[in-house]
Amino acid sequence: MTRRLSAIFFLITFLSIASFAQSTIPSPKSVLGFNPGDDRTVAGWSQITDYFERLDRASDRVLVQTLGQSTLKRPLIVAFISARENILALPKYKDIQQQLADPRKITQNVQRDRLLANGKVVVAISCSIHSTEIVASQMSMQLAYELATAQDADTREILQNTILMLIPSPNPDGIDIVANWYRKTLGTAYEGREPPELYHHYAGHDDNRDWFMLNLKETQLITRLLWHDWFPQIVYDVHQQGSNGSRFFIPPFYDPPNPNISPLLLRQVGLIGHKIAADLQAAGFQGVLTNALYDTWWHGGFRTAPYFHNSIGILSEAASARLMSPANVTTEQLARSSTRGMRNATESSTNFPDPWPAGQWRPRDIMSMEMTSARSILEMAAKFRVEYLRNFYELARKNIESAGPQAYLIPAGQARDEAVAKLIGSLIDQGVEVFRLDRELHTVLATPVLRRVNPVAEKLGNYRRLASVTASQMQEVPLGSYIIFLAQPQRTNILALFEPQIYPNRLTGQGEAERPYDVAGWTLPLQMGVEAPVVMAIREPANERKLTLLKDANEVRADLALPLKKGDESPIKNPLKQPVRVGIYKGATSNMDEGWTRYIFDTFNVPYSSVRDTDMRQGALNSKFDALIFTSQAATQIINGNAAGTLPAEYTGGITGGGVKNLKEFVNNGGMLICFDNACDMAIKEFNLPLKNTLEGVRSSEFYCPGSIVALDVDNKHPIASMLPPSVPAYFINSSAYTATADANVRVIARYAKDNLLLSGWLLGEDKLSGQVALAEVSVGKGRIVLFGFRPQHRGQAWATLPFIWNALSTAASNSSEE
Ligand SMILES: [Zn+2]
């Protein structure tokens, strides 16, 4: 054949394959053998990825990309779904998104108008980040199939005007944990029960509490996709809630809103929520709830992170079935289901106009509502394409042009190098610009502190943020410091991470604290023990500054002479002064605090073994361990475990009385027992320690602190507080405080601060906490018990208090080596 003929032949073959492929796009059923959402069926991760691969090969509307590997090395994928011509031009659209996301790249109105005219609305839909909320992962295949095959005008409009990034699950490991468990228990007495293990290796349910810290591989990979590459205008995070309340929650959200979220975003979130609600109602679905329970205060979830990148974040929460088995819900259960914004699930109201009448609730019901909801969002995006692009651009532009403080500074010479590197690395990974000073700057700095507004209402802690008097004059900032300017598209993100939070004082009619949806305070530099004052003014004009934009955390690590990160290995050097045989208790009930503890130990390369109930019951613990850590968990859970009959026998029973006896022997023989927060109650009771939890049984009208940063007064002459400053921020999440009776065996290492106790968040009834014991060491026999009233490693974020753990373990080693 001539070259020209062969080209024509190729073209004909290509066209015929293309049209052949279009007609033979495999349905999920043809691949799986069942329709996604059928009762008592579940597709595991390899089935889901296999389906998407087939769809990618068969449809020119679908392109599947592997983002990387999950924590347990499964592929994490995203499917781009759009019209054929858009899929062929993805790099062009990615470039448009990157320009709109950063208006500094757009110098002329005509350039902006061209981008708005040519761009597509990018929508990300993420399914089943919480793996027991399994239906959406199954739904993803059906949604992709329908978009790949439909020929109707509405779908064509969606495909032309939007680019969907569909994430079948951001936690592939969890899909298999749940699918395997579900199959194993199907047809047994335990069918539909949740698995007794964490469905993310480290974080469990907290895998959706990581969107600003970026500890987990999954959040790192998706953050790169979303906030470095594609900048979606809309992110839809698909969840399930308990079985007995509303059938489906969608925004608008409940109060309070985070003050750093643009009002325009809150309105747009509400608009899409009401569009979904109207579409669900029109399709005959009942039990849809808005304006209730879920709020936008806290910063770290999949649907909240977008607000701080100028994007719209939508959450839906469908009522759960029993994994993939139907559930029966009674009128009585609905009537007992009450939450803020909903008196009960049988009473109609403006935000809940059509209660669902009880009955059988199936995975198919969940899936149908999620499909309708996804479709509503895509329709809105397609119909108002230019508005979504323009609003997105305008929010970024306003952030760049806002007046007020200039920057945050991370001064050189802090004795917390690893924390500084981690903090800056997390900022860069989420797309924040961080510069190094290559020449000194002269600045006016301030450090905000919280003060009570109304001294009369002592107990009711109303706080206000005051810029403190630390400095009001120009002072020189040394070169080697880092600076984060606020005039960048992520201004609101930087403010929300660096400012102290002041949660509004919200009480119920009965005077009890109204529980926020998640934590009340999280200020990142405080949690990490890194000094980060706000820069009010800079003397040098822009052309006299010498700054380097940082590319990644390794540049900071190089500056600070820390080992560089290579590949997936954590580069942090083991902080223990000598080898210690550490055991971390891992009971049969899943415990996120235990998972995060393993995360921190793995990240700091501190070796440990997980200690199971059988190990505790067997005893001879001194022959294996120098120190045992019990992470925050109730004493009854540790001792009794899961109740017999609730799960297969191998998952029931705790350490038992025998384990307690072995633990006493371990400490008496010279071992170190370390307890975090709730687990201290077990030690205090079983060892009869001379301490008392003063917050036990206190009503929330008297004291309430639901996830806040508080100051500790530290006795740094004690070896466990060695090298720490006299005041250390600690994470308090409905935690504990103690009074100690005078006893030579008790040494108090830290107390909750007497002055300026609340650093960030919400604290009701300060007097109940102020001055009480936060960290103590008690001698028992030849050994010691270390009691942390707070969570020194909370969510892998509280780096300020990690040195207490390393110091305690280092002294455990010296103890056993002396013997
Ligand atoms: Zn969830």
Side-chain angles (χ1 to χ4, degrees), residues 128-133 199 205 207-209 237-241 294 315-317 517:
S128 304
I129 187 171
H130 290 151
S131 315
T132 48
E133 302 162 17
Y199 53 64
H205 197 72
D207 63 349
N208 196 28
R209 308 286 189 265
D237 185 17
V238 190
H239 285 251
Q240 290 170 219
Q241 55 186 357
Y294 307 94
L315 166 78
S316 74
E317 295 269 0
Y517 186 68

Side-chain angles (χ1 to χ4, degrees), residues 183-497:
R183 290 188 190 116
K184 181 176 152 183
T185 50
L186 195 58
T188 73
Y190 311 108
E191 176 180 329
R193 288 268 163 78
E194 300 197 348
E197 65 180 298
L198 292 175
Y199 53 64
H200 180 282
H201 180 65
Y202 291 121
H205 197 72
D206 270 357
D207 63 349
N208 196 28
R209 308 286 189 265
D210 189 44
W211 291 92
F212 56 72
M213 191 65 179
L214 311 183
N215 279 327
L216 308 176
K217 283 196 67 181
E218 293 80 5
T219 25
Q220 290 163 11
L221 291 168
I222 292 171
T223 296
R224 172 155 288 280
L225 171 77
L226 264 50
W227 314 122
H228 274 265
D229 295 345
W230 275 97
F231 302 93
Q233 276 79 28
I234 302 173
V235 176
Y236 174 27
D237 185 17
V238 190
H239 285 251
Q240 290 170 219
Q241 55 186 357
S243 300
N244 300 341
S246 68
R247 295 302 91 193
F248 207 70
F249 168 84
I250 29 146
F253 291 100
Y254 202 72
D255 285 328
N258 185 301
N260 282 309
I261 299 176
S262 146
L264 177 59
L265 280 176
L266 286 178
R267 289 299 189 195
Q268 291 193 309
V269 166
L271 182 60
I272 289 183
H274 277 304
K275 160 75 171 160
I276 298 169
D279 286 354
L280 286 166
Q281 195 67 48
F285 293 104
Q286 294 180 286
V288 176
L289 174 69
T290 63
N291 304 77
L293 182 57
Y294 307 94
D295 61 57
T296 56
W297 178 260
W298 157 78
H299 187 147
F302 205 146
R303 56 93 184 174
T304 29
Y307 309 137
F308 302 96
H309 295 82
N310 308 316
S311 298
I312 298 165
I314 302 291
L315 166 78
S316 74
E317 295 269 0
S320 291
R322 296 181 306 121
L323 298 179
M324 293 303 291
S325 298
N328 272 307
V329 183
T330 64
T331 308
E332 291 69 35
Q333 286 171 322
L334 293 172
R336 278 199 301 272
S337 179
S338 154
T339 178
R340 49 182 195 162
M342 184 183 76
R343 268 164 58 94
N344 73 62
T346 62
E347 246 178 73
S348 72
S349 57
T350 306
N351 64 329
F352 187 59
D354 189 12
W356 176 72
Q360 196 162 58
W361 184 248
R362 318 184 89 101
R364 170 74 57 224
D365 299 317
I366 300 168
M367 184 164 137
S368 304
M369 293 181 98
E370 290 173 347
M371 289 283 285
T372 302
S373 180
R375 186 81 195 194
S376 289
I377 293 171
L378 291 168
E379 271 177 31
M380 284 289 275
K383 292 214 186 297
F384 298 97
R385 184 186 64 81
V386 178
E387 283 86 337
Y388 283 115
L389 297 182
R390 184 182 291 121
N391 286 337
F392 173 70
Y393 161 83
E394 284 295 336
L395 286 172
R397 192 181 60 76
K398 281 189 192 125
N399 277 342
I400 289 161
E401 292 170 5
S402 287
Q406 306 262 303
Y408 281 89
L409 191 76
I410 299 178
Q414 305 193 29
R416 303 300 309 274
D417 290 349
E418 282 294 354
V420 167
K422 169 69 180 176
L423 174 59
I424 295 177
S426 295
L427 294 172
I428 296 172
D429 285 351
Q430 62 201 286
V432 173
E433 288 171 359
V434 183
F435 290 89
R436 182 181 52 230
L437 269 59
D438 293 328
R439 178 189 295 162
E440 295 80 356
L441 280 183
H442 295 82
T443 62
V444 176
L445 300 179
T447 301
V449 291
L450 306 186
R451 295 236 192 273
R452 272 209 212 85
V453 175
N454 180 1
V456 181
E458 272 292 286
K459 191 172 87 167
L460 297 179
N462 272 307
Y463 291 88
R464 184 168 65 198
R465 189 183 299 128
L466 293 184
S468 93
V469 286
T470 46
S472 53
Q473 299 156 329
M474 278 291 169
Q475 55 177 289
E476 187 176 282
V477 177
L479 77 167
S481 300
Y482 301 97
I483 192 163
I484 301 126
F485 291 104
L486 283 162
Q488 56 177 305
Q490 285 199 45
R491 174 192 167 82
T492 52
N493 191 24
I494 300 160
L495 289 171
L497 291 176

Side-chain angles (χ1 to χ4, degrees), residues 760-789:
S760 182
W762 190 20
L763 175 59
L764 266 177
E766 199 174 312
D767 54 315
K768 290 271 186 302
L769 193 60
S770 182
Q772 304 290 11
V773 176
L775 173 59
E777 181 191 56
V778 189
S779 298
V780 175
K782 285 192 236 161
R784 285 171 295 156
I785 301 178
V786 179
L787 302 166
F788 286 82

